[in-house]
Amino acid sequence: DDIRFVGNDSKVLRSSQGSLFLLLSFLEQNPTARIEIEGHVNGPSFKKNSKEFIMLSEARARTVYDFLLINDVDPLRVKYVGMGNAHMIYPDPQNKEQSEANRRVEILVTGT
């Protein structure tokens, strides 16, 4: 599952904390795997990838990165990037759940 965040913040939602530990477990069980953490924001009525959106999405990805490093994952195995609001799941969110789904990080396995 995606790791989701509080609106306008880099704080992980409590409901997503289990996903952080699943990611950590995956990396522990696959010691040669490398990942990229992509941060995203909700910003349907705003210009794509404003400086603020890039910074917030990067801060979200950095939160996950820092969590992994604190838990002894080798930093050479992990990269992170802010994607802003260019790749929203719901470009025109209709409810709270859709807006929340846009405020996420996605994990890409980039090597094994």
Side-chain angles (χ1 to χ4, degrees):
D1 291 331
D2 292 332
I3 299 168
R4 298 183 180 178
F5 294 81
V6 173
N8 296 318
D9 201 334
S10 61
K11 182 179 178 183
V12 174
L13 288 175
R14 182 174 296 233
S15 61
S16 290
Q17 290 178 346
S19 294
L20 283 173
F21 286 99
L22 286 173
L23 175 60
L24 177 60
S25 177
F26 168 81
L27 290 169
E28 289 172 345
Q29 292 174 20
N30 298 279
T32 60
R34 293 185 313 257
I35 64 167
E36 179 175 273
I37 306 162
E38 293 183 346
H40 299 270
V41 301
N42 184 49
S45 60
F46 297 94
K47 180 181 174 194
K48 298 289 185 212
N49 284 339
S50 68
K51 180 180 178 183
E52 293 80 13
F53 285 155
I54 293 293
M55 290 174 59
L56 177 57
S57 63
E58 186 173 303
R60 289 176 174 169
R62 178 68 190 240
T63 295
V64 176
Y65 174 85
D66 289 344
F67 168 81
L68 295 173
L69 268 56
I70 288 169
N71 285 284
D72 298 322
V73 173
D74 183 345
L76 296 176
R77 297 175 59 201
V78 184
K79 293 192 297 187
Y80 67 93
V81 63
M83 305 297 283
N85 64 336
H87 302 283
M88 291 183 293
I89 296 170
Y90 299 99
D92 186 25
Q94 301 298 307
N95 55 47
K96 177 184 171 199
E97 290 76 23
Q98 291 180 358
S99 294
E100 184 179 288
N102 286 336
R103 296 187 300 263
R104 70 196 188 283
V105 296
E106 293 181 353
I107 308 300
L108 302 175
V109 177
T110 59
T112 55

